[in-house]
Amino acid sequence: MHPPFVSQVDPAASLSTLHQASVNGGVSWTVAGPSTAAWVTVNRAIYVPVRLATPFRFTQFFWMNGTVVGAPDVDAGIYHANGSRIISTGLTTHVTSNVIQLVNVTDTTLLPGLYYLAIVLNGSSGLFRQSLGGARARILGVVEEGSASPLPAVMTPTASTQQYMPLFGVTALASV
Amino acid sequence: MSPVYPIGEPTPYLECFPTLSSLHHDAIGSEANRWSLLGGGSFNSAAWYAASLAVYVPFRLFAPTIFDRMFTYNGGTAGNSLDLGVYDSSLIRRASMGLAVQSGTNGLQIRTFGADLVLGPGRYFMALSMNGTTGTFFVNTTSPPVAGVYRCMGLFEQSLSGESTPGTLPATAAVTAYARTTFPWFGLVRKGFTI
């Protein structure tokens, strides 16, 4: 039985890399950022840890498109901490620059626990992201995987080599 | 002790992230962030503050957690020897690595505990010491606007020059007020997770 309250760090309407339920605290999103940037490496997935103290139901994934969008596709998903995929959008055409792009998925409820938000682009278009210095992503528990488009059924994480924290997540609402 | 839940299984608690560093919300990351002390994406490589000084950074756990590694983020120059450990809220050492030569520059130095460290929900300190001032670590770039901010956040320090092996983390910490204007980036890694 889970407690009938929402903890201080549980997300309200959406769960994203901006939240304290994710790596915020250590990421230091700044007024000067995030900014648009090309994807780190074609087909390289980034996995960002998130955690919940209470169940959270979501209906859509979203990401913040950068200035350059186009033919490359985006796949966003969420994984159990043990590496198994719960759900993903599947490859989705990357459309409309400088806006938040939403993709409906089957309604999904996450139970309290630890998860990884995942996203991959199979081209050189980009997202809004916070640039992280040095090994900051690694310190915060972010991992990555090459040749991971579309997102695999089971993630095979490797140490993060990127300094790219994409702005993306899931939401229970029709919009964000 | 509550049970330790298998990785990937739902827990009735707020679970620890795969890593738990001084930058994390469960340590002082959020507080430092709110004070704009993390300097965006920037950071500095800096020589250790003083020979045989230990730094204690508070953190909290909501769920039983197994850790098997600790890490430092070494700066541009490696030197001296460092020790890493964990203390409980009574300042009793729960585990430490022992002194070892600082190895590697501009990256993480990861060390493994001799035995898994199992911690229950509660308040703890992660500790880092070094027996000289040649070695460097990455630290945040921005100093607090007023003295004492880090003391308010719960950081402490201790001179270990009087230990039988100077620089070795003691069985019981005897902490003093934190006198530094930055804090080092280091932390713990949960068993079974990639860093």
Side-chain angles (χ1 to χ4, degrees):
Chain A
M1 177 64 72
H2 303 295
F5 55 80
V6 176
S7 80
Q8 181 188 6
V9 297
D10 267 331
S14 63
L15 171 62
S16 76
T17 50
L18 276 176
H19 282 79
Q20 285 188 352
S22 183
V23 292
N24 192 5
V27 165
S28 184
W29 298 92
T30 64
V31 174
S35 58
T36 180
W39 190 243
V40 290
T41 302
V42 174
N43 296 332
R44 182 168 295 274
I46 292 178
Y47 302 100
V48 183
V50 297
R51 63 180 180 176
L52 296 167
T54 54
F56 180 77
R57 174 180 168 275
F58 66 90
T59 59
Q60 299 196 92
F61 281 86
F62 66 88
W63 53 82
M64 182 71 186
N65 288 339
T67 302
V68 178
V69 296
D73 289 332
V74 182
D75 193 3
I78 194 158
Y79 286 75
H80 288 292
N82 63 10
S84 61
R85 187 182 60 207
I86 299 169
I87 193 169
S88 62
T89 62
L91 286 172
T92 303
T93 303
H94 195 198
V95 294
T96 313
S97 60
N98 301 324
V99 301
I100 291 177
Q101 183 172 345
L102 292 113
V103 178
N104 281 308
V105 293
T106 303
D107 294 3
T108 303
T109 298
L110 301 175
L111 296 175
L114 180 67
Y115 303 90
Y116 284 97
L117 280 170
I119 192 163
V120 63
L121 275 70
N122 64 3
S124 58
S125 62
L127 303 177
F128 270 85
R129 61 89 176 91
Q130 178 67 50
S131 179
L132 304 177
R136 200 162 181 157
R138 197 175 171 199
I139 289 171
L140 294 171
V142 176
V143 291
E144 63 186 42
E145 180 177 359
S147 303
S149 177
L151 290 170
V154 178
M155 59 188 263
T156 305
T158 57
S160 175
T161 58
Q162 310 299 326
Q163 301 178 0
Y164 193 111
M165 177 56 64
L167 179 47
F168 76 112
V170 293
T171 181
L173 303 177
S175 184
V176 293
Chain B
M1 172 72 75
S2 302
V4 174
Y5 291 83
I7 293 171
E9 295 295 318
T11 77
Y13 303 106
L14 187 61
E15 205 171 329
C16 181
F17 284 115
T19 58
L20 202 175
S21 73
S22 51
L23 288 176
H24 273 82
H25 178 71
D26 291 342
I28 62 166
S30 291
E31 287 80 1
N33 219 345
R34 290 192 190 103
W35 280 80
S36 299
L37 300 177
L38 296 184
S42 59
F43 48 88
N44 280 338
S45 169
W48 191 236
Y49 304 110
S52 299
L53 186 83
V55 167
Y56 300 89
V57 177
F59 69 93
R60 57 191 176 167
L61 288 175
F62 300 97
T65 308
I66 305 174
F67 298 100
D68 64 352
R69 289 155 288 168
M70 290 190 76
F71 64 88
T72 54
Y73 188 12
N74 293 346
T77 301
N80 309 122
S81 293
L82 62 92
D83 197 358
L84 286 160
V86 173
Y87 289 75
D88 63 25
S89 58
S90 298
L91 301 179
I92 305 299
R93 187 182 62 204
R94 299 293 296 270
S96 67
M97 300 286 184
L99 279 176
V101 172
Q102 187 183 33
S103 175
T105 58
N106 298 314
L108 301 189
Q109 180 176 357
I110 301 169
R111 298 178 61 189
T112 303
F113 286 118
D116 292 348
L117 174 60
V118 182
L119 298 177
R123 298 177 175 85
Y124 301 91
F125 292 90
M126 59 181 80
L128 168 62
S129 66
M130 177 168 264
N131 64 359
T133 57
T134 302
T136 59
F137 297 98
F138 280 104
V139 302
N140 57 319
T141 55
T142 311
S143 298
V146 293
V149 166
Y150 289 128
R151 292 173 64 181
C152 294
M153 291 182 188
L155 278 78
F156 291 97
E157 64 180 53
Q158 179 182 1
S159 172
L160 303 178
S161 58
E163 297 295 312
S164 55
T165 303
T168 302
L169 290 170
T172 302
V175 299
T176 57
Y178 194 73
R180 315 298 150 183
T181 57
T182 62
F183 65 90
W185 296 7
F186 70 109
L188 296 127
V189 186
R190 286 182 60 183
K191 185 175 184 178
F193 285 89
T194 299
I195 178 172

